[in-house]
Amino acid sequence: MKIEKLSIIIPAYNEGSTIHLILNKIKAVNLIENIQKEIIIIDDCSTDHTEQSVAGYRLDHPELAINYFKHEINKGKGAALHTGISKATGEYLIIQDADLEYDPEEYNDLLKPVCNGFADVVYGSRFMGSNPHRILFFWHTIGNRWLTFASNMFSNLNLTDMETCYKLFDTKLIQSIQLSEPRFGFEPEVTQKIARVPKIRIYEVGISYYGRTYDDGKKIGWKDGVRAIYCILKYGLFRVD
């Protein structure tokens, strides 16, 4: 499949101090096969200077296609992704956090299985390959691996990292799926629902991970882990649409 444009979906909440840095990284990436970039930022009612940072960046870099949308009330990361997905016009889209945990230089690694005609969906795994990974929390790693294992039981996939940020989707395909989870339940919900698509071709590639601590601004907590278990059962075991 020839891809003309990649939509990059960036949910942002109080990322005013780092969002220009991730935009610099995205700007510097030259995508394979001359694929163009469409950046879609969804500000989930930030209370810091995220909006001003994005506005200033757009003025300084008019050559970069940046579309900005703002939620007037805070709805959650999943809700921001729903908005971004609905606005995407590229043949494929990828999810990018507004912090610096994931490296846009690796977009091409995720695009290759699609451009070579093998994949419809590509997940970037923090737990495979030889890319650099920051050493952080033992129990977070165990939790991520357990949630992936539980998700695989009901999706019948063999993913190594269901909770990864980097997910590359066929845009029309993901836009056709009804998504409901407003917070971090997005990951298990979309994984369970995408696995149901007949003859879906899902690939996984190893990626780097430059993880943040809570002092750095990391937002996910144990309550989100509990919600992820609920979502795996809801959309996997009971197959709720």
Side-chain angles (χ1 to χ4, degrees):
M1 175 183 179
K2 175 63 177 175
I3 304 176
E4 301 289 343
K5 180 167 57 179
L6 176 69
S7 298
I8 301 163
I9 312 299
I10 307 177
Y13 177 67
N14 290 349
E15 302 288 359
S17 61
T18 61
I19 195 163
H20 67 288
L21 299 175
I22 200 65
L23 289 172
N24 282 340
K25 287 180 172 289
I26 293 170
K27 181 177 180 291
V29 174
N30 292 314
L31 298 180
I32 57 175
E33 299 189 4
N34 200 33
I35 297 171
Q36 302 302 300
K37 291 170 284 192
E38 172 188 59
I39 301 171
I40 301 173
I41 300 171
I42 307 90
D43 183 347
D44 195 29
C45 195
S46 295
T47 57
D48 70 348
H49 58 287
T50 297
E51 183 170 13
Q52 292 82 359
S53 293
V54 174
Y57 197 92
R58 293 175 76 186
L59 285 174
D60 292 339
H61 302 277
E63 76 285 0
L64 202 59
I66 302 176
N67 299 311
Y68 175 81
F69 303 93
K70 184 175 182 179
H71 289 169
E72 294 306 317
I73 60 172
N74 181 259
K75 298 179 180 180
K77 180 181 179 181
L81 289 173
H82 301 162
T83 298
I85 289 168
S86 71
K87 303 295 185 182
T89 63
E91 292 88 353
Y92 271 74
L93 65 83
I94 192 168
I95 297 168
Q96 171 70 61
D97 283 348
D99 55 36
L100 302 174
E101 290 190 327
Y102 295 83
D103 187 357
E105 279 288 340
E106 295 171 343
Y107 289 169
N108 286 325
D109 295 331
L110 282 88
L111 283 165
K112 284 176 184 176
V114 173
C115 292
N116 291 334
F118 297 117
D120 306 303
V121 175
V122 183
Y123 278 44
S125 173
R126 298 166 290 179
F127 303 126
M128 62 184 290
S130 58
N131 304 59
H133 301 81
R134 183 178 180 182
I135 302 303
L136 280 175
F137 308 114
F138 171 78
W139 289 111
H140 276 195
T141 301
I142 295 297
N144 280 335
R145 291 184 185 274
W146 191 91
L147 289 172
T148 297
F149 174 78
S151 176
N152 286 345
M153 287 177 60
F154 297 110
S155 64
N156 197 30
L157 300 175
N158 63 339
L159 293 169
T160 65
D161 192 5
M162 178 271 295
E163 290 282 350
T164 181
C165 164
Y166 271 2
K167 293 179 173 70
L168 178 73
F169 296 106
D170 178 303
T171 300
K172 289 183 178 178
L173 174 63
I174 195 64
Q175 287 176 341
S176 72
I177 295 175
Q178 180 178 337
L179 297 170
S180 305
E181 291 297 317
R183 285 183 51 79
F184 293 99
F186 171 87
E187 315 294 353
E189 180 189 10
V190 75
T191 301
Q192 294 299 324
K193 290 185 175 180
I194 206 77
R196 297 183 207 165
V197 176
K199 298 182 180 179
I200 191 73
R201 300 174 302 169
I202 304 174
Y203 272 63
E204 196 174 41
V205 299
I207 58 169
S208 307
Y209 183 60
Y210 302 90
R212 296 196 299 175
T213 66
Y214 288 103
D215 289 339
D216 296 326
K218 194 173 185 68
K219 300 177 179 70
I220 194 168
W222 67 268
K223 292 182 180 178
D224 298 300
V226 173
R227 181 69 186 185
I229 295 170
Y230 169 82
C231 290
I232 290 169
L233 296 175
K234 179 178 179 180
Y235 302 109
L237 178 60
F238 298 107
R239 300 179 70 83
V240 174
D241 290 329

